[in-house]
Amino acid sequence: MVERFTNKFSGLKRITNYSSWFGLIALISIYYIQMGESITAYSMGIIIEQAVIVAIVATGAIFIFSFGQFDISLGAATAVAAMVSVITYNRTESIFLMLLASILVGVSIGVIESILAVLLNLPVFVLTVAMLSILSSLVRVLLGGQSSISIPSDAVAAFDNVPFKLFILICYFLLCFFIFNYTKVGRESKFLGANPIAAKQSGVSNKKITIIAFILVGIGVGLAGFLTVIRAPMLGQTTAASLGLDVLVAIVFGGMPLSGGARSKISAAVVGAFSIVLLNQVLLSFGFSSGQNQIAKAILFLFVVFVATINYRKKILPR
Amino acid sequence: MNKCLNKIGLLVFSLLLIGLLAACNGDSDPQTNGVDNGANEEQDQGPTQKIGVQIYDATDSELIAFRRYYQDYIEDNYNVEFLFSDSLDTAEAERTSTENFINQGVAAIISFSDSDRMSVIQMTEDAGVYYAIGAGTLSDEQLDMLSDNEYFVGSIGPSLAEEEEVGYDMAKHYIEQGYTNFLLYAGGYPFVDMHLMRTHGMIRALEEVGVTYNAREDGQIGTFESDEYTINTVYGFPDDSGAFFGTVAERVNEPGLEVILTAGLGVEFFGTALAQSGQDIRMGTVASFEDAYYEGFSAGQVDYLAGKFSSSIGPIFAAVYNAINGDMEVVRNNGNPFRIDQGYWIATNVDEFNEMYEMSNSTENPAYTKELLDMVIKSENPDTDYDNFESFVQSYSFDEITNLQD
Amino acid sequence: MKEKIILEAIGIKKRFGETVALQGVDINLYRGEIRGLVGENGSGKSTFSSIIAGIQKSFKGELIYKGKPYLPSNMVEALQNGIGMIVQEKGTIQNVTVAENIFLGELNKYGRFGLLNKKELYNKANQALDNIGITNIRADDMIQNLNMQNRKLIEIAKVVFKNPDILVIDETSTALSYEGRQILYKIIEDFKSRDKSVVLISHDLDELIEKCDTLTVLRDGKLIKHLNKAEFEEDYIKQLLVGRELEGDYYRSDYNHEVSSEVVLKVENLNKENDLNGVNLDLHKGEILGIGGLSHCGMHTLGKVIFGFENAEEGHVSIQGTKIIDEKTAMKAGLGYVSKDRDHEALSLNSSIRENISIVGLDIIKKHNLIFSKHEKAYVKEQVDIFNIKAQSMEQYVSGLSGGNKQKVVFAKWMGRNSDILVLDCPTRGVDIGVKQAMYQLIIKLKNEGKSFILISEELSELTGLVDRLLIMKDGKITKEFFRDKELSESDIINYMI
């Protein structure tokens, strides 16, 4: 009987699966109408500029979310990766080593976090709360009492352009997309999120998935750290501090279920990141002040989460 | 089935919300237009020009006062609209704000934010947007680098020498009255330039009366030696641990303390400890003419204030306004961007303070009124030139401005 | 009939959105009658019982109770009027005591000035438990420390304590264990002897035939037939349930217990606190090895340990020399496991049929370490076809499937990767008769192809009908071994279980 009903709506359901895409398209349309002729290559450029770092970290974070876990330390991890890359550049004057250092730091943080989670058998979320505070302190240590550390902006000027950043995003996205959809690990992580016990009884190793997911996120964090330095070569205590939250918001806006599972999709990260930047631009174009802007975004966020979680409060029908 | 209904709901709601936002804006438009039209009648000019204002902290009371002056006074009297940024606490945020301002089509940016200023100046030059520094100063080297930047207007603010002088004057004020037991708050020493310079000024005044200052190798604030004078120090800012306020209370309660000299943030950091100590301790500080200090003076906690006044940012607006009107030449210093010192108003007793406080916080009759500013705006006063502008800015003291008004 | 009617239901209709659950059902219930309500999943029997118990309100039709129109607005009101329903074990509330569960909603009767008179409350609760002959659970026990069966017993105690005139027992998904059933049967008989009525909903035909005076068969929301005791005949009832004649055999037709001497799985001296106490067994190639016992005799734990889902403290399981340490090694050695708790453990309900089937077959599906949709779909389609899983497409979520189809997905998952040995824990729980028959025939067919099975079950007829060899467990030990035999009777077996 349920089948008959679903059948009737399956076409509609297929369309609504892409509702976050519609949201993005709606935002693009409104932005276009609002801005009219003042949309230039510059406008498009800054949208990419502002979305790219969040999009990269969020893309990696989808892995962790897909098996129902939650990492709030990603912003701080990115800050640490960025700091280490600045220090590396100042010692070696090599962009390549700087990138390498950033990725190494990102991956190391991921490995440490995941191994601790697996060894201590702690919920990832709890662990990342502790990690957040450790990493924030580490940022302070790396600053060494100064208010900021920096590299000369000329050093990275050659990379400070939209095509390069877009290229990095696309490469990383493709890597994650590929692993998520075409490998055993990706499939297993989704299944793990959908039902951990059924996953275990199907031979899915929670530990293996956790470690691999954190390594993948680590690569993203490393790239994001590098791009953070390119975007603003001067880093301080609050660098990337809001990134952790932005990533979370982006993922939710992108249509990723917070509990992970079967409906997890990697595109949510990119759709969400661009949606937020566009939403911000649309609100600015309506002349909202920054305060009103924040409130409008927060309300929309709450609404999205509310709607997304209605599904958990299922109706109980007698059989 | 639930799921798809929800998703549709979400979509509809998102669109509704955005539509609603659009509607709200539609409602508010006629109003602002109405105001603008009023201004247009008077001034008979083209479309409203947008000016972006970058601020480091949207909750800072000094910046709130600045904002009131721009939005409640300047916007009513000139055909401009100010867009304010979020709190810009990172270089990244500063860059994002710059991008957004450029994208919103601002003609100029007035900045009170300095995370990575040189990069922002580069971006504005590329975009053909004027840039001016509302408070703060540039080094000679930086000014050199910007000499051929057509879009960099200039800077108005206390020079580092001026900051040093402020600290010196404040310390001297108390030394001359015969006080000998001081607590010196060095703020962000040595990382925050203005705190560093003010502290150095205080040190110089003390050295003049025979105190020996021993600098520390690591650059942090050092120690003082003297038979006659007792000088303790505090530095840094509060963090999550609460240790900062503990130290402050300890120092304030040391027996014999007579005067607290702060390189910034006096009432904010020392007010509570002072009130609790119950001792007769004086405080001199560099801050601004705002409510917290009004209460500080009234309660006798503070008796010396070197402070910014809300409309002190009037002249930088005048310069930017000239620039966006195409009258850049009147604010060009021999073809180069200007750098003009502007110091503080100094109140040394409660009456002085109250007089200055009143003028500083008025949006009907601020220190820099339209009549005053028009003197250096070429579209209003075709005879004005750079020298005129420079001396206008330098006549910043309370007395000079009240004289000008008369 | 000369008996007095207590409840009359006339033309009851009920829809859930687009779904018609009941389409005009007439039932008369008499005083002193034990009425069985039988039908496959989705037949409407639970909907009907929840209407008379006040759980469902908006329906069409008329209820006449004790000669007056009757429309309870909720369960509590229905119970006050004398109609009590024992719902599934989910009715209990976590983190409070047994007593508080029994007197849920009436706690204010036992308090004064906001303070609970615990002593009185516990006395009453113990009395309620004693009433139905439960002595191993006490009023101050915490609910979460009790197993499903005991929670259900508390539900029973709670309802019976109110001494209703009509007792509705919905047993749809949870088969009580042997002891639990004995308690329930005593209550039913007691009700009958006091001229009160019972409505019993069950999947277990043997039980219904034995205990009920009359049977009402529902199918697809329609009343199919009322049967009197004289008309009770198993094959006939099954035919009414399914709507057609069941063709072929239900269980195994042969009584041959000869199997290959090749041992494919060895269990040696398994010990696990409270559950397993030195278990040894050999499983042979092509053998269906049954394990029976009361629900906490340790057999369910044994199944989990064999598959590596739980670890024993001592002893080990091996397949041709390979020790099973976790699910992965078990799967590598060709083992599959069908959990008793299908919805929570064997399947991910909010994943598609495709995902559920392919999750254990990824190693087979992958080409050069990559999984392509084309290969995956082909793999899954093959299984869907073999098992005749009824769904719109393989992308449908498993949550929308009937119990039987869900179980087919579980079987398909393990057979898709060509498992040689399957551990089946209550594989036909909550499954319709038609599907049950198909499953049994599938197990027999696979056995003939050389696959081996460990069949853990609480249904004795299922065990005697299928297995080559039956091990009976009690208190974590194997107490008796039976071989397949036409003469093997259920009462012989029960003696070794209790």
Side-chain angles (χ1 to χ4, degrees), chain B residues 204-245:
Chain B
R204 179 160 65 93
L206 287 163
E207 280 175 337
E208 279 180 9
V209 291
V211 176
T212 315
Y213 174 68
N214 305 310
R216 264 169 58 161
E217 266 182 29
D218 63 1
Q220 301 285 356
I221 183 89
T223 53
F224 297 86
E225 266 177 65
S226 165
D227 295 334
E228 196 182 340
Y229 290 89
T230 309
I231 295 133
N232 275 311
T233 55
V234 192
Y235 69 95
F237 297 105
D239 59 11
D240 304 337
S241 71
F244 176 81
F245 285 107

Side-chain angles (χ1 to χ4, degrees), chain C residues 71-210:
Chain C
L71 191 66
S73 58
N74 55 46
M75 263 183 100
V76 177
E77 197 185 310
L79 188 56
Q80 278 161 0
N81 283 312
I83 301 184
M85 177 162 172
I86 299 168
V87 292
Q88 293 144 33
E89 61 277 9
K90 283 172 197 155
T92 52
I93 302 203
Q94 299 275 332
N95 294 323
V96 297
T97 60
V98 166
E100 283 162 310
N101 257 290
I102 292 178
F103 296 105
L104 197 71
E106 314 169 81
L107 289 177
N108 50 356
K109 283 188 196 164
Y110 299 92
R112 199 170 286 169
F113 311 121
L115 295 169
L116 208 58
N117 184 345
K118 288 227 163 162
K119 201 172 162 200
E120 190 188 341
L121 182 72
Y122 286 175
N123 282 340
K124 280 269 172 126
N126 281 331
Q127 197 187 325
L129 293 166
D130 292 341
N131 268 351
I132 63 165
I134 303 173
T135 48
N136 61 330
I137 311 171
R138 290 291 86 188
D140 55 352
D141 288 344
M142 296 301 284
I143 285 287
Q144 65 267 33
N145 298 333
L146 302 179
N147 60 25
M148 286 302 176
Q149 151 143 334
N150 286 338
R151 290 185 197 188
K152 180 122 190 168
L153 289 175
I154 286 165
E155 281 296 317
I156 295 172
K158 175 179 170 178
V159 175
V160 171
F161 191 66
K162 299 282 156 24
N163 197 20
D165 294 318
I166 300 176
L167 178 66
V168 184
I169 304 166
D170 187 350
E171 248 220 287
T172 316
S173 71
T174 331
L176 279 167
S177 71
Y178 180 79
E179 306 114 310
R181 279 170 191 246
Q182 297 312 314
I183 290 173
L184 196 63
Y185 295 156
K186 249 171 79 186
I187 293 169
I188 292 173
E189 272 148 29
D190 175 58
F191 265 66
K192 185 176 171 66
S193 69
R194 292 191 287 137
D195 209 28
K196 290 171 181 267
S197 318
V198 175
V199 176
L200 179 62
I201 300 162
S202 174
H203 265 292
D204 185 345
L205 272 191
D206 296 340
E207 176 181 82
L208 291 168
I209 289 171
E210 196 185 328

Side-chain angles (χ1 to χ4, degrees), chain A residues 5 16 26 30-31 42-43 49-50 145 160 231-232 234 238 281 283-284 286 288 290 300 303 311, chain B residues 1 3 6-8 13 15 17-18 21 25 86 89-92 95-96 99-100 102-104 115 191:
Chain A
F5 188 73
T16 53
I30 296 168
Y31 183 67
Y42 186 82
S43 319
E49 279 273 353
Q50 292 176 15
D160 191 6
R231 181 160 166 77
M234 189 175 286
T238 46
Q281 292 295 334
L283 292 172
L284 281 174
F286 280 117
F288 272 53
S290 52
L300 199 58
F303 183 77
N311 291 329
Chain B
M1 63 189 198
K3 231 165 271 163
N6 290 335
K7 287 217 164 189
I8 297 169
F13 178 82
L15 291 173
L17 189 86
I18 292 162
L21 299 179
N25 188 62
D86 288 330
D89 54 1
T90 61
E92 210 274 330
R95 173 165 179 172
T96 303
E99 286 170 349
N100 291 342
I102 293 170
N103 194 38
Q104 286 173 275
S115 290
F191 301 115

Side-chain angles (χ1 to χ4, degrees), chain C residues 174-444:
Chain C
T174 331
L176 279 167
S177 71
Y178 180 79
E179 306 114 310
R181 279 170 191 246
Q182 297 312 314
I183 290 173
L184 196 63
Y185 295 156
K186 249 171 79 186
I187 293 169
I188 292 173
E189 272 148 29
D190 175 58
F191 265 66
K192 185 176 171 66
S193 69
R194 292 191 287 137
D195 209 28
K196 290 171 181 267
S197 318
V198 175
V199 176
L200 179 62
I201 300 162
S202 174
H203 265 292
D204 185 345
L205 272 191
D206 296 340
E207 176 181 82
L208 291 168
I209 289 171
E210 196 185 328
K211 299 295 168 194
C212 297
D213 303 320
T214 47
L215 267 182
T216 298
V217 182
L218 296 172
R219 191 171 70 231
D220 296 333
K222 278 182 275 205
L223 182 80
I224 300 302
K225 201 166 173 53
H226 292 299
L227 297 171
N228 292 318
K229 194 110 190 167
E231 297 169 281
F232 289 4
E233 203 269 308
E234 195 172 331
D235 287 342
Y236 178 52
I237 299 172
K238 280 181 185 165
Q239 198 181 321
L240 291 175
L241 283 171
V242 185
R244 58 181 162 83
E245 224 170 309
L246 285 172
E247 284 169 29
D249 295 315
Y250 193 63
Y251 292 128
R252 248 169 98 177
S253 53
D254 68 286
Y255 286 91
N256 177 15
H257 68 261
E258 297 300 316
V259 290
S260 151
S261 60
E262 186 187 339
V263 173
V264 289
L265 181 142
K266 225 175 164 49
V267 170
E268 285 165 276
N269 192 33
L270 284 188
N271 278 293
K272 189 174 167 75
E273 206 189 345
N274 297 333
D275 284 327
L276 300 176
N277 192 358
V279 175
N280 290 284
L281 63 83
D282 286 347
L283 175 68
H284 299 88
K285 190 173 164 61
E287 182 180 33
I288 303 177
L289 175 62
I291 299 179
L294 300 180
S295 72
H296 23 263
C297 67
M299 60 182 182
H300 301 304
T301 309
L302 177 63
K304 287 179 176 169
V305 172
I306 290 176
F307 185 62
F309 182 65
E310 282 183 16
N311 293 321
E313 283 141 18
E314 225 180 284
H316 60 262
V317 178
S318 58
I319 294 178
Q320 274 142 6
T322 314
K323 279 191 188 166
I324 306 302
I325 49 166
D326 58 15
E327 303 85 355
K328 266 212 135 115
T329 49
M331 283 165 64
K332 267 212 182 104
L335 202 59
Y337 172 69
V338 175
S339 167
K340 180 183 174 189
D341 193 346
R342 188 169 49 232
D343 285 3
H344 296 108
E345 297 187 354
L347 292 169
S348 163
L349 294 183
N350 289 321
S351 299
S352 65
I353 296 169
R354 172 179 58 76
E355 286 165 305
N356 270 289
I357 291 180
S358 70
I359 187 67
V360 296
L362 296 175
D363 282 330
I364 300 162
I365 297 165
K366 71 183 181 189
K367 299 263 150 60
H368 313 295
N369 277 321
L370 299 178
I371 292 147
F372 292 105
S373 181
K374 192 179 82 184
H375 302 138
E376 185 188 9
K377 283 188 174 146
Y379 172 91
V380 174
K381 182 163 190 316
E382 195 187 337
Q383 301 312 316
V384 169
D385 290 347
I386 289 173
F387 286 88
N388 191 21
I389 296 168
K390 287 190 191 115
Q392 319 152 31
S393 83
M394 64 173 77
E395 298 304 325
Q396 191 184 344
Y397 279 9
V398 169
S399 54
L401 299 181
S402 67
N405 274 306
K406 281 180 186 166
Q407 194 66 314
K408 283 181 180 175
V409 173
V410 180
F411 268 69
K413 157 176 163 177
W414 291 112
M415 295 328 297
R417 77 189 307 275
N418 207 10
S419 306
D420 293 321
I421 308 166
L422 275 189
V423 178
L424 308 173
D425 194 349
C426 300
T428 58
R429 198 166 167 254
V431 168
D432 296 340
I433 285 167
V435 178
K436 238 179 180 175
Q437 184 200 25
M439 296 254 175
Y440 294 149
Q441 293 310 313
L442 178 79
I443 292 171
I444 296 162

Side-chain angles (χ1 to χ4, degrees), chain B residues 66-94:
Chain B
F66 286 172
R67 182 177 189 147
R68 236 178 12 228
Y69 174 63
Y70 273 171
Q71 290 189 326
D72 295 350
Y73 186 80
I74 298 291
E75 270 189 13
D76 288 354
N77 288 289
Y78 296 92
N79 189 23
V80 292
E81 181 191 354
F82 291 97
L83 308 175
F84 276 76
S85 74
D86 288 330
S87 298
L88 305 177
D89 54 1
T90 61
E92 210 274 330
E94 199 180 47

